[in-house]
Amino acid sequence: MALRNIMNYQTDDILRKKARVVEKVDGRILTLLEDMAETMYDANGAGLAAPQVGVLRRVIVIDDGTGLIKLINPVIVKAIGEQQEIEGCLSIPGIYGLVKRSEKVIVRALNEHGQSVELEGSGLLAQAFCHEIDHLNGILFIDKIIPGTIINQKQE
């Protein structure tokens, strides 16, 4: 395992690109998952998408406090309700804002063994699923901040 550099939205245009589907779960993808988890924990994050470490693959890791989730090619297949919560991002340090997300989602993906899984998340986990899957599509949370709710801690 190794720590990877986290891309910054001001200097790394990879964050605005759409990640490619993973065709085969192999050693490179497993190493990527492990490195991403280590990097996320080291940075005190709750989630990380592969583009955030400079890799345009559809891979995410999340830990909402209930344990590590590693997903390959995740897709939201159902979204229910609505919640508004403050979000931040490891690639956008010091900026936070209120974002509208689904209250509950069902996500279909491959796990690290290449098996198809379906996971349900609500609250923080639903928020994390939506946030990280947005990253795979080149969408950043600052694109979705409710106007007038941005907090820039660097300026305060």
Side-chain angles (χ1 to χ4, degrees):
M1 293 195 310
L3 289 177
R4 300 216 182 186
N5 291 327
I6 296 174
M7 304 292 106
N8 186 291
Y9 82 109
Q10 292 181 318
T11 57
D12 299 302
D13 67 347
I14 193 170
L15 294 171
R16 291 297 189 173
K17 295 181 179 176
K18 190 169 182 174
R20 296 186 305 270
V21 170
V22 173
E23 301 294 338
K24 180 181 175 188
V25 180
D26 57 15
R28 291 178 67 181
I29 294 299
L30 296 177
T31 297
L32 175 62
L33 283 164
E34 291 300 318
D35 291 353
M36 287 172 57
E38 184 177 356
T39 302
M40 174 188 71
Y41 288 130
D42 184 70
N44 294 313
L48 195 65
Q52 291 182 271
V53 293
V55 179
L56 276 177
R57 292 286 184 255
R58 298 188 76 78
V59 175
I60 65 173
V61 294
I62 293 172
D63 190 339
D64 67 342
T66 61
L68 181 61
I69 299 170
K70 302 174 187 177
L71 297 177
I72 301 157
N73 300 330
V75 176
I76 295 172
V77 294
K78 189 170 187 178
I80 302 164
E82 183 181 289
Q83 64 177 327
Q84 293 182 16
E85 297 293 335
I86 296 290
E87 285 191 23
C89 180
L90 296 175
S91 292
I92 308 171
I95 296 177
Y96 303 88
L98 196 59
V99 177
K100 193 181 299 185
R101 301 276 189 194
S102 298
E103 170 59 32
K104 182 177 180 181
V105 296
I106 297 174
V107 174
R108 188 173 297 135
L110 297 177
N111 65 16
E112 63 190 304
H113 307 291
Q115 301 163 325
S116 182
V117 295
E118 206 168 84
L119 301 174
E120 184 177 299
S122 58
L124 177 59
L125 184 55
Q127 181 183 4
F129 280 144
C130 293
H131 180 109
E132 300 310 330
I133 291 171
D134 272 355
H135 270 299
L136 302 179
N137 295 313
I139 300 167
L140 303 177
F141 90 96
I142 54 175
D143 302 332
K144 296 187 171 190
I145 289 179
I146 296 170
T149 68
I150 195 164
I151 302 164
N152 187 338
Q153 288 191 329
K154 292 179 181 177
Q155 293 177 348
E156 292 182 346

